[in-house]
Amino acid sequence: MCGVFGAYSETDYVTEEVYLALQALQHRGQESAGIAWIDDRGRVNSHKGMGLVHEALNQDTLSKMTATSAIGHVRYSTAGGSMLQNAQPICANYAQGPVAIAHNGNLTNAGGLRLELEHRGAIFQSTSDTEAILHLVAHQPDKSPFDALACALERAQGAFSLVVLLEEGLVAARDPWGFRPLALGRKGENYYVSSESCAFSLLGATLVRAVEPGEILLINENGLTSRYLRNKPPKRKLCSFEFVYFARPDSVIGGRSVYKARQEMGRRLARSCGKLGGSAGCADFVAYMPDSGTTAGIGYAKESGLPFESAVVRNRYVGRTFIQPTQRVRELGVRVKLSPNGEIFSGKSAILVDDSLVRGTTAGLVVSMIRECNARELHMRISSPPVKFPCYYGIDTPSRGELIAAKLSVEEIAASVGVDSLAYLDKDDMISAIGIPGDELCTACFDGTYLEDQEGSIYCEGPEG
Ligand code: SF4
């Protein structure tokens, strides 16, 4: 998962706005950040660095740049390793002019494209799959950069939500399945494109609409021009996990409030646990795993009528464990990050709501810390179905062997994590809570129904593409 942002203005300098917007998208990637713009001489420039936005980039320097269009990126590694060469935007000044690309998603045919391009003489600077798009553009010198980009994207398979800077203007493009979100915003005459709408409010801009699956937008002095990629898949595949975990709750994706969807997941979970004769009736309170389980926890408490307690405290100055790249950092990170409040848990029976269980590492460590607080009973409720399959579309889920729900039954997971009971949200309930038809959502990590199987061609090359 990464975050991308683009800004276009006729009159205003926008690099500092892009910097601020990247702060709003920080939850989508914490390994590196970068901003690119085209200077007065028509050449592309960039600032990139490792770490959080404020560590990687200098706001003071960026505020002095005189660029009226710019793009930015926050990254965590899915394809390619965690290194500065893979930080984005990826930039080049080629025969037809400057180009800078920031990409969210994974190309499932990146390996094949790379091989083909290397045979044609391309020299890759990074291991990121995004660079293949740049080379595909550069290998069409007879076309305008915008046309070359459109042709390049017709060859890309899998997930891409892109912002691209060309001499012709700011470009936003989304793969025909619409895996990753991309939104268009506006403030006066200025246009913005963002992975999530939460970045617009920070700038005083408003959400106009989603960039449609398969749409390519060109924004320049002529306004907004829209065209579509020629390959039209039979189905849309917006990532359902964006609603479960990734997106910020104040974002709107596909016309649906992430907050409302997440709270509805909690409500439906409470209803289904009640029906199953779960222990909601006898628990003393509902707690949540901050921050990912907060909104679903609120929904659970409202529906069950139980009191809601902030019983697990989160240190806000460390990042999310799920998107940290190594197991060691993940395990240490949990103890640094989360701390149960013994005053609340001691002698009590609690329902603990979280959004998902991936490896089970975080949950197991937090549960053992809660047990040390002498909790009487602990019942875990997960506001999504079991994650049993890896993602090949831009999310760094582990291999199947590391996914706890791929190896163990629900009862075995409860025993392994150390809770008295465990229940998950049903897939149909998750889809109903999101409020988007099921055949327009990707649910592959829950049910293994990959795009490639449904569309009859296996072209997935794995997560390192
Ligand atoms: S496999 Fe899961 S995480 Fe990946 S795009 Fe599909 S729903 Fe999202």
Side-chain angles (χ1 to χ4, degrees), residues 145-392:
F146 183 61
D147 286 339
L149 176 68
C151 287
L153 295 182
E154 274 163 10
R155 297 209 49 210
Q157 292 173 340
F160 56 84
S161 279
L162 299 174
V163 287
V164 184
L165 214 49
L166 303 171
E167 215 164 35
E168 294 148 291
L170 171 68
V171 180
R174 199 163 165 217
D175 68 70
W177 299 272
F179 279 103
R180 308 256 71 87
L182 195 62
L184 176 70
R186 194 165 179 181
K187 181 177 66 178
E189 296 307 308
N190 295 0
Y191 284 101
Y192 304 95
V193 181
S194 177
S195 288
E196 286 182 44
S197 60
C198 64
F200 297 148
S201 9
L202 178 83
L203 303 176
T206 50
L207 170 67
V208 176
R209 64 175 175 88
V211 176
E212 290 295 314
E215 187 177 17
I216 315 179
L217 285 176
L218 174 64
I219 305 166
N220 57 23
E221 64 278 10
N222 301 319
L224 201 76
T225 316
S226 165
R227 68 191 245 190
Y228 283 82
L229 295 170
R230 276 176 301 184
N231 30 358
K232 281 205 178 13
K235 284 183 179 172
R236 292 183 171 190
K237 287 281 165 193
L238 175 59
C239 171
S240 54
F241 224 111
E242 292 278 354
F243 292 93
V244 170
Y245 173 78
F246 299 127
R248 242 172 62 163
D250 53 338
S251 287
V252 172
I253 295 178
R256 184 78 174 119
S257 152
V258 173
Y259 182 85
K260 285 184 181 163
R262 228 168 255 177
Q263 194 171 118
E264 182 61 20
M265 287 173 198
R267 282 185 176 277
R268 285 174 178 265
L269 182 60
R271 287 208 287 275
S272 68
C273 288
K275 265 189 258 164
L276 291 170
S279 54
C282 66
D284 293 302
F285 62 88
V286 175
Y288 58 88
M289 203 76 97
D291 288 324
S292 54
T294 308
T295 314
I298 292 169
Y300 197 109
K302 280 183 178 172
E303 189 68 27
S304 64
L306 290 168
F308 183 63
E309 297 281 5
S310 292
V312 181
V313 177
R314 177 170 183 259
N315 178 343
R316 303 200 170 275
Y317 304 97
V318 287
R320 290 177 163 196
T321 53
F322 176 43
I323 57 176
Q324 300 298 323
T326 68
Q327 184 70 13
R328 186 169 168 274
V329 173
R330 265 191 294 272
E331 285 178 10
L332 280 175
V334 173
R335 289 204 170 262
V336 174
K337 193 177 75 167
L338 296 169
S339 174
N341 187 335
E343 292 295 318
I344 302 177
F345 279 109
S346 180
K348 297 284 176 29
S349 170
I351 286 173
L352 183 63
V353 178
D354 202 0
D355 67 291
S356 56
L357 276 182
V358 180
R359 293 177 180 83
T361 318
T362 303
L365 285 166
V366 173
V367 167
S368 69
M369 287 191 274
I370 293 173
R371 293 293 189 197
E372 288 163 18
C373 301
N374 297 320
R376 183 161 50 82
E377 279 180 34
L378 195 54
H379 303 278
M380 181 159 262
R381 300 290 177 256
I382 305 296
S383 61
S384 65
V387 177
K388 293 184 176 177
F389 301 90
C391 174
Y392 299 119

